[in-house]
Amino acid sequence: MPTPPWRKSSYCQEGEACVHISSAPTLVRIADDDPPRNVLAVGVKAFGGLLAMVKTSGGR
């Protein structure tokens, strides 16, 4: 099965280190390189928890 495509953060400016995400129905892969070399893979529920925490903390 092919890997879902990588998407770059909408907050990324040209030339900055950016977060890239590739999501599947049960797994979200996160990387900070393009092309991705070091990849963190987490479940969809865990990724949702991470997003909720970031939104609550204001990204700090």
Side-chain angles (χ1 to χ4, degrees), residues 37-49:
R37 291 178 290 210
N38 298 314
V39 177
L40 172 66
V42 298
V44 171
K45 188 173 181 177
F47 185 70

Side-chain angles (χ1 to χ4, degrees), residues 1 7 10 13 15-16 21 25 36 45 49 51 56 58:
M1 183 158 98
R7 295 178 289 164
S10 60
Q13 300 296 318
E16 290 186 1
I21 296 175
K45 188 173 181 177
L51 290 180
T56 300

Side-chain angles (χ1 to χ4, degrees), residues 4-60:
W6 288 93
R7 295 178 289 164
K8 183 170 65 171
S9 168
S10 60
Y11 289 96
C12 182
Q13 300 296 318
E14 190 65 35
E16 290 186 1
C18 301
V19 174
H20 294 78
I21 296 175
S22 175
S23 60
T26 60
L27 189 69
V28 177
R29 298 177 337 137
I30 307 165
D32 65 352
D33 296 319
D34 187 19
R37 291 178 290 210
N38 298 314
V39 177
L40 172 66
V42 298
V44 171
K45 188 173 181 177
F47 185 70
L50 172 66
L51 290 180
M53 184 178 67
V54 169
K55 288 178 183 179
T56 300
S57 70
R60 290 180 251 134

